[in-house]
Amino acid sequence: KKKTVSFSSMPNDRKINSTAACISLMLEGCELKKVRSNSRMYSRFFVLDADLRSVRWEPSKKDSEKAKIEIKSVKEVRVGKKTPVLRSNGLSDQFPDECAFSIIYGDNYESLDLVASSADVVSAWVMGLRYLVSYGKHSPEAPGTGHPSLRTSWISSVFDLADLEKSGRIPVSRAVQLIKALNPGMKTSTIELKFKELQKASERPGTEVACDLFVEAYCELCTRPEIFFLLVQFSSNKEYLGVKDLLMFLEVEQGMEGVTEEKCLEIVSKYEPSKEGREKGYLAIDGFTRYLLSADCSIFDPQHRKVCQDMAQPLSHYYISSAHSACLLEDNFWGRSDISGYISALGLGCRSIELVLWDGPEGEPVVYTSPSAASCVPFRAVVGLIDQHAFTASAYPLILCLVVRCSAPQQRLAAQCLRKTLGEKLYLEPPNPVASYLPSPEELKGRILIKGKKLPPTCEDSEGEVSDEEEGWELAQRLGQEDREAPEGGGLRRVRLSRELSELVSLCQAVPFQDFESSRRGQRYWEMCSFSEVEAGRFANECPAELVSYNKRFLSRIYPSPMRIDASNMNPQDFWKCGCQMVAMNYQTPGLMMDLNAGWFRQNGACGYVLRPAIMREEVSYFSANAKDSLPGVPAQLLHLKVISGQNLPKPKGSGAKGEVVEPYVCAEIHGIPADCAEHRTKTALQSGDNPIFDESLEFQINLPELAVLRFVVLDDDYIGDEFIAQYTIPFECLQPGYRHVPLQSLSGEPLPHATLFVHVAITDRRGGGKGHRRGLAGRRGRRVREYTSTKATGIKAIDEVFRTATQPLREATDLRENVQNALVSFKELCGLTPAANMKQCILTVSTWLLHSDSAPSVTLNLAEQYPPMEAQGPIPDLLRKVLTAYETMIQTSRTLIESADAVYGKLIQAQQAGMDFHKELHRIETKEGLRGRKLQKALESFAWNITVLKGQADLLKHAKAEALDNLWQIHNAGQSCGIGRNGSASPEPSRLQAPLEPIPE
């Protein structure tokens, strides 16, 4: 019976858990499609010779000696569509990227382009070929022979410790517990089944197992083929990673900077289970898997685990985590008020809580937001709880939104309770009349602000009338307490307010909203408005630019529509995109909207404050919240996401009747401004057990990264209706590049133990690791017709003349960046790499071609020069000549950029600053020019557009220069480490290369 190799984790299938298994598959042979240069595909049977020295195929018109490739002639094995033939238009849609691979061979660097039936087959061939290429010069031993590996020795030593009787056998139950302890997420039934299977195959049934069977069971159950494949790619001996291999993996693939050999040894000693491995500095498959699953390798940027944003900006420049009915544990209508809801919300970093005060039955105010009179909570108890938990999760200010529905005497009791309980924490200082903006979260640390109505200065009595809040009346109607009729002729209701409560309000004085023009002229920075979801939605659709502008100075709070009697949530992104700071969420209701809110506020140390995008904070900037395309002066970033596999996926809740089989697929969603919202899904992993392999690449264009959120959703494919399995939501700015595990969560946001997705993340226009700046070099080919960003006419002659001086520098800036960008992409493609690859990978790839050949042409990098040339001695093959030409173009365009950037940058900033000089005089000039109505609106929009474009383009040029300098540093670094560099002592210091330009003022 022929052996088959499968990456499926179904217990009766054999898994690839060693290079020996790959070579076994190649020795048996299989059918692959051979792609010709004319884009035609032919099915052929490919097989590895028994002496492991050649790969042959049949049938072939060539004689059998020519229809083969010798292993020693192979320069490189590429996965995916990485050659001109496979990239050609005729083929690009006929098969997925993960089913293609190419063998580059011979002195002329020819390519044999192949397509397999599945990604599993590709992985086995690529792994096997790379192993043979590494050992081609030393005849490798036949698979499965030789002395025990590092891993086998370690597993045997674990067995010996468990063999208490020293009989050479242990009970099956103990063996199962042992494997479960080493691999906590694995089901007991899966392990038991594997032992039964192996006992039956070796004809050794019984209640005990010997060491060899235990080792075999462990290797088959606990080897993740996709991680083994990764290890083989980076390992110099194909069985474990040495310190240099690990360093290369961390720098090249994970985008980590400043990694040292000491750091790598720390990782080995922390994660490698075998004593021998730790002593020798080797990370074998089990240690490597543990590392990839650990918090040290999290997809979430560790910088954002603590407060890392500027907290000294005005309060209105932040999104603030806000709760609507925090004390409710169920829906609005049938919910029971439960005091633990407040603890939960505050524990999640919530910084704004709503309290609706009602008259209590015993002369003391109560809080309740459900129609049941029995469910009220004494106000005193709530305040005591807030005092206790206000700053456990975050030190930044907490805003209590008081909606007063109680009588004046009970208001006085509420005010006394707040003063007495909260004491020094209460912020009572009057607003600074000469300031223009609210204080910062940093200045207000540890303080509690009261948001509510305030008596007018003219009122001298102990209580007075104020306009009422719209919020909270839907509940009053249900409680039968709606005794205050709206005044005749419409207008706002009036309510009585006590002076004691009024005096607690300082920086968050609630005022009714009239219109944007009235706010611009008369609203003071400490006054804030609340909008119902319906009203705010109308503004967001009809006049988004005005809402964004309003939110630069003033706080706005959005509360859910009273129609949401099930306590469902609105989409916070609909209001965040317009700069609304406080979108009040029903924390007790799980689902997509709460996932977005919880995921978003996970950043910046989960402190409940997130700095809004710069384009929403700058006094003069053009930003359209409903833009369907990229923003002026900011090119799109590309997110390349590969969903590789899932681990320990639970069954959907309540799906007991469906049996054991889960057939999952993954949806990746981007939520942000409308231009960014997108969703892609993988294929369904059929009959996959708990550990499905997806191996699928998805791509997203992100126009405003600072506001984008990525959400992974795992669903069970079912003809009746797809069922939810798990999700994880992460801000785009917190993504770490490279191979990462996504820690999955339940519908209510609870972590699912050991349930993960294994993914690869690449963002082509920012550096990996850490916070990453926006890169100007997007990994895409420039369009054939280059599009230039230009300024717009305002209709005011003096201003337009200033902006006209920037026309030429804007074109030059675009040319400088795009010329480098196009040269980079061409060079990467010729190296057989994706646009997401970094420069170090390119140089290392070229060096491996040269080092894998006896008759290698002599190509060196002259590192004595700042712009190192790649020089060839003697004749070189055509492909290598193309690579050298592309490298030369890239170096020349980079040099032009580096040497010209400062002058062009200076001209852009000069024009921007000259434009800003007009800003203070803008209204006077408008009046003088007689602009009003639509013309005035157009002039203001064009002015803001121009300022934004100039700042954006200058910003991009600054980062493009820093990037080009970094690429040079990577070339020097890689040239020295891989052996093709010469005169390396003059390697430039990264600090010298990355001399920053002057920061661009906001």
Side-chain angles (χ1 to χ4, degrees):
K1 186 185 173 186
K2 268 198 169 185
K3 288 180 181 173
T4 58
V5 175
S6 168
F7 276 3
S8 159
S9 54
M10 292 297 283
N12 56 353
D13 277 347
R14 176 176 152 209
K15 278 171 70 170
I16 288 187
N17 53 35
S18 67
T19 39
C22 301
I23 292 168
S24 295
L25 171 90
M26 293 162 70
L27 288 165
E28 288 157 16
C30 70
E31 196 170 277
L32 300 169
K33 286 191 171 73
K34 184 170 178 274
V35 187
R36 292 237 179 115
S37 54
N38 59 7
S39 296
R40 288 192 177 168
M41 294 199 281
Y42 302 89
S43 285
R44 298 287 181 262
F45 188 81
F46 282 77
V47 65
L48 176 67
D49 275 357
D51 64 2
L52 313 181
R53 294 184 187 279
S54 306
V55 172
R56 298 178 184 274
W57 60 92
E58 55 188 36
S60 174
K61 290 177 185 171
K62 299 175 183 175
D63 65 60
S64 60
E65 281 309 299
K66 286 189 178 167
K68 71 169 189 178
I69 290 176
E70 290 190 356
I71 297 294
K72 69 178 183 186
S73 73
V74 174
K75 309 286 184 204
E76 186 194 0
V77 186
R78 296 179 184 176
V79 186
K81 300 171 192 172
K82 302 281 175 57
T83 63
V85 171
L86 290 176
R87 279 201 194 97
S88 66
N89 293 335
L91 288 172
S92 53
D93 300 327
Q94 289 187 30
F95 49 86
D97 192 65
E98 52 270 11
C99 287
F101 69 106
S102 304
I103 303 170
I104 312 294
Y105 67 97
D107 291 341
N108 290 324
Y109 293 76
E110 295 167 69
S111 73
L112 173 65
D113 299 301
L114 301 167
V115 178
S117 56
S118 71
D120 310 358
V121 177
V122 171
S123 296
W125 273 90
V126 171
M127 209 187 291
L129 283 167
R130 284 178 174 165
Y131 179 88
L132 293 170
V133 168
S134 294
Y135 289 103
K137 296 187 178 72
H138 334 283
S139 183
E141 296 166 349
T145 66
H147 48 262
S149 68
L150 198 67
R151 185 186 203 194
T152 311
S153 307
W154 165 66
I155 303 165
S156 302
S157 70
V158 170
F159 179 90
D160 292 342
L161 284 172
D163 179 11
L164 305 172
E165 296 80 20
K166 302 300 170 208
S167 62
R169 303 172 71 77
I170 61 171
V172 172
S173 58
R174 195 183 300 164
V176 170
Q177 288 310 311
L178 208 51
I179 288 182
K180 199 165 168 57
L182 293 169
N183 200 333
M186 194 169 283
K187 285 181 183 170
T188 305
S189 57
T190 308
I191 307 170
E192 288 170 346
L193 192 63
K194 177 57 69 182
F195 277 120
K196 278 181 190 164
E197 209 180 283
L198 293 175
Q199 284 180 321
K200 188 180 176 185
S202 61
E203 298 177 349
R204 288 189 284 175
T207 57
E208 294 188 318
V209 292
C211 184
D212 61 333
L213 203 118
F214 178 78
V215 171
E216 191 179 350
Y218 178 87
C219 288
E220 288 199 18
L221 287 166
C222 303
T223 306
R224 283 177 47 193
E226 70 277 28
I227 291 184
F228 185 70
F229 184 46
L230 191 56
L231 180 133
V232 169
Q233 253 180 291
F234 281 89
S235 165
S236 39
N237 85 333
K238 308 302 165 200
E239 289 297 338
Y240 54 75
L241 296 172
V243 169
K244 283 192 164 53
D245 301 331
L246 180 57
L247 191 134
M248 189 67 70
F249 170 74
L250 296 176
E251 278 193 347
V252 168
E253 208 52 74
Q254 303 296 86
M256 286 171 67
E257 292 176 348
V259 188
T260 59
E261 291 197 3
E262 289 72 37
K263 172 69 183 165
C264 294
L265 283 168
E266 270 176 45
I267 290 171
V268 172
S269 65
K270 189 172 178 182
Y271 296 106
E272 174 53 40
S274 72
K275 189 181 176 194
E276 186 190 351
R278 290 195 299 272
E279 285 169 357
K280 293 182 176 174
Y282 296 156
L283 195 63
I285 180 70
D286 299 286
F288 189 43
T289 306
R290 287 179 182 190
Y291 170 64
L292 287 173
L293 279 163
S294 73
D296 287 345
C297 201
S298 165
I299 190 169
F300 191 88
D301 184 347
Q303 240 184 292
H304 273 279
R305 294 197 187 286
K306 52 186 188 298
V307 174
C308 58
Q309 294 177 345
D310 176 7
M311 300 305 284
Q313 301 268 338
L315 212 55
S316 60
H317 286 186
Y318 298 84
Y319 295 113
I320 303 170
S321 179
S322 306
H324 180 230
S325 310
C327 69
L328 279 184
L329 288 186
E330 292 171 36
D331 61 59
N332 265 343
F333 201 74
W334 304 109
R336 300 185 309 277
S337 290
D338 185 311
I339 211 155
S340 66
Y342 290 107
I343 302 174
S344 166
L346 290 168
L348 290 168
C350 177
R351 296 288 84 197
S352 165
I353 282 182
E354 175 196 42
L355 300 174
V356 187
L357 272 62
W358 301 88
D359 278 336
E362 292 168 22
E364 254 191 85
V366 293
V367 171
Y368 61 112
T369 46
S370 75
S372 159
S375 67
C376 60
V377 180
F379 180 67
R380 194 170 10 91
V382 175
V383 176
L385 200 75
I386 288 169
D387 179 54
Q388 205 178 332
H389 297 276
F391 301 106
T392 49
S394 169
Y396 292 99
L398 175 68
I399 301 170
L400 296 184
C401 302
L402 296 189
V403 180
V404 179
R405 296 273 169 267
C406 60
S407 60
Q410 293 209 8
Q411 289 175 32
R412 288 188 194 101
L413 288 175
Q416 287 163 17
C417 170
L418 286 164
R419 278 185 186 271
K420 186 181 172 187
T421 312
L422 302 179
E424 290 296 304
K425 292 176 190 162
L426 263 186
Y427 186 89
L428 301 172
E429 292 146 46
N432 179 356
V434 296
S436 304
Y437 286 93
L438 287 161
S440 69
E442 191 59 46
E443 291 171 80
L444 297 169
K445 241 179 174 178
R447 306 303 290 272
I448 295 175
L449 277 58
I450 304 294
K451 178 240 169 197
K453 292 285 176 183
K454 204 163 173 64
L455 290 172
T458 51
C459 175
E460 293 176 4
D461 301 334
S462 62
E463 59 184 73
E465 274 201 347
V466 291
S467 61
D468 190 16
E469 298 265 6
E470 283 299 302
E471 203 173 349
W473 278 116
E474 69 279 5
L475 185 63
Q477 288 163 1
R478 294 187 204 138
L479 282 164
Q481 293 190 9
E482 174 59 294
D483 56 350
R484 280 161 262 199
E485 293 299 319
E488 283 181 34
L492 294 163
R493 291 184 183 86
R494 309 289 292 173
V495 290
R496 303 293 293 172
L497 179 68
S498 78
R499 176 165 298 282
E500 285 93 330
L501 206 55
S502 169
E503 284 172 351
L504 299 185
V505 177
S506 168
L507 293 177
C508 297
Q509 183 181 336
V511 295
F513 179 77
Q514 291 171 308
D515 56 64
F516 290 115
E517 186 53 33
S518 304
S519 294
R520 190 166 75 89
R521 294 186 187 284
Q523 190 171 335
R524 292 166 298 187
Y525 72 83
W526 62 84
E527 295 175 334
M528 66 174 284
C529 300
S530 289
F531 302 88
S532 81
E533 162 191 0
V534 176
E535 185 184 20
R538 184 163 52 80
F539 292 145
N541 289 323
E542 292 173 12
C543 42
E546 286 175 274
L547 188 51
V548 170
S549 182
Y550 172 86
N551 286 320
K552 286 179 185 177
R553 276 191 68 208
F554 309 117
L555 284 176
S556 61
R557 180 173 181 273
I558 318 299
Y559 58 89
S561 158
M563 301 307 289
R564 294 184 182 273
I565 59 169
D566 58 350
S568 59
N569 274 307
M570 50 193 163
N571 185 344
Q573 283 278 2
D574 290 345
F575 307 103
W576 290 340
K577 71 181 184 188
C578 293
C580 299
Q581 299 87 348
M582 299 159 72
V583 182
M585 303 294 284
N586 289 308
Y587 269 58
Q588 72 277 18
T589 309
L592 163 63
M593 304 314 172
M594 201 55 216
D595 291 346
L596 293 178
N597 192 74
W600 179 250
F601 285 107
R602 206 170 269 138
Q603 63 186 308
N604 199 28
C607 73
Y609 284 82
V610 171
L611 191 61
R612 296 186 312 168
I615 204 164
M616 289 188 189
R617 306 192 309 266
E618 287 150 5
E619 196 177 347
V620 181
S621 65
Y622 178 88
F623 172 67
S624 172
N626 295 328
K628 293 282 192 291
D629 204 351
S630 54
L631 302 167
V634 184
Q637 292 192 3
L638 284 179
L639 168 64
H640 308 263
L641 188 64
K642 187 169 190 181
V643 182
I644 303 166
S645 61
Q647 291 73 46
N648 307 311
L649 299 181
K651 287 166 67 179
K653 237 181 177 175
S655 65
K658 286 180 59 181
E660 285 298 309
V661 180
V662 175
E663 297 192 332
Y665 65 92
V666 179
C667 251
E669 308 164 349
I670 293 286
H671 298 265
I673 60 170
D676 291 344
C677 292
E679 178 184 313
H680 296 309
R681 60 158 283 179
T682 67
K683 57 184 177 294
T684 300
L686 300 169
Q687 302 286 316
S688 63
D690 310 327
N691 303 300
I693 296 275
F694 301 105
D695 216 6
E696 206 155 333
S697 300
L698 314 171
E699 192 175 283
F700 297 91
Q701 179 170 310
I702 315 288
N703 296 287
L704 185 58
E706 293 167 282
L707 202 57
V709 174
L710 170 63
R711 181 173 184 255
F712 295 94
V713 196
V714 187
L715 296 158
D716 184 15
D717 200 339
D718 191 351
Y719 63 92
I720 298 169
D722 298 349
E723 292 189 80
F724 176 91
I725 295 175
Q727 66 83 27
Y728 181 73
T729 309
I730 179 170
F732 180 82
E733 294 281 275
C734 295
L735 283 172
Q736 287 257 79
Y739 288 93
R740 307 285 173 183
H741 281 91
V742 176
L744 294 172
Q745 298 179 338
S746 68
L747 189 64
S748 58
E750 299 295 315
L752 292 168
H754 313 298
T756 53
L757 285 179
F758 187 45
V759 300
H760 182 265
V761 176
I763 297 161
T764 50
D765 54 349
R766 74 170 206 210
R767 293 185 83 80
K771 188 160 189 307
H773 56 255
R774 182 182 286 115
R775 277 168 141 180
L777 309 176
R780 297 179 297 158
R781 283 199 176 281
R783 296 170 186 162
R784 287 203 178 122
V785 179
R786 188 165 287 175
E787 290 187 1
Y788 295 98
T789 308
S790 56
T791 55
K792 292 181 178 180
T794 61
I796 301 167
K797 192 179 174 188
I799 295 177
D800 286 341
E801 278 175 7
V802 164
F803 287 132
R804 213 169 287 126
T805 62
T807 307
Q808 192 54 34
L810 280 171
R811 288 183 73 89
E812 286 173 24
T814 304
D815 286 338
L816 287 169
R817 287 188 300 99
E818 294 211 0
N819 289 346
V820 173
Q821 175 184 321
N822 293 344
L824 269 170
V825 173
S826 297
F827 178 55
K828 288 174 185 179
E829 283 189 355
L830 282 165
C831 291
L833 297 167
T834 65
N838 60 31
M839 189 51 59
K840 196 163 187 176
Q841 281 169 290
C842 297
I843 301 301
L844 294 172
T845 301
V846 174
S847 75
T848 53
W849 297 350
L850 302 169
L851 302 173
H852 275 165
S853 174
D854 296 326
S855 57
S858 175
V859 174
T860 54
L861 271 171
N862 184 357
L863 301 180
E865 298 188 28
Q866 191 190 350
Y867 302 96
M870 201 180 272
E871 298 159 345
Q873 280 77 41
I876 57 169
D878 190 41
L879 175 71
L880 208 51
R881 185 170 299 287
K882 284 180 182 170
V883 169
L884 261 61
T885 307
Y887 174 84
E888 184 57 29
T889 307
M890 181 204 68
I891 285 290
Q892 288 311 321
T893 53
S894 299
R895 181 174 191 160
T896 308
L897 167 70
I898 290 164
E899 291 175 355
S900 314
D902 288 9
V904 178
Y905 174 89
K907 288 175 191 170
L908 291 173
I909 288 301
Q910 198 177 346
Q912 187 228 8
Q913 287 170 346
M916 283 302 287
D917 290 343
F918 282 106
H919 179 241
K920 291 183 176 67
E921 299 292 307
L922 210 50
H923 287 292
R924 187 182 60 75
I925 298 168
E926 288 158 10
T927 313
K928 188 181 165 189
E929 295 276 334
L931 294 176
R932 58 175 61 86
R934 184 75 196 111
K935 276 190 175 177
L936 173 61
Q937 187 61 33
K938 194 85 185 127
L940 291 172
E941 262 183 30
S942 296
F943 183 82
W945 166 280
N946 295 344
I947 295 293
T948 306
V949 162
L950 291 170
K951 181 184 182 302
Q953 290 293 330
D955 204 359
L956 293 172
L957 189 60
K958 177 179 81 166
H959 290 313
K961 179 185 174 182
E963 170 115 333
L965 288 166
D966 180 65
N967 279 337
L968 289 181
W969 181 76
Q970 286 189 45
I971 290 168
H972 276 88
N973 194 309
Q976 283 180 319
S977 64
C978 71
I980 64 166
R982 60 186 176 85
N983 309 325
S985 57
S987 168
E989 284 297 309
S991 56
R992 185 176 67 81
L993 278 178
Q994 296 184 329
L997 291 156
E998 284 303 301
I1000 298 167
E1002 280 191 8

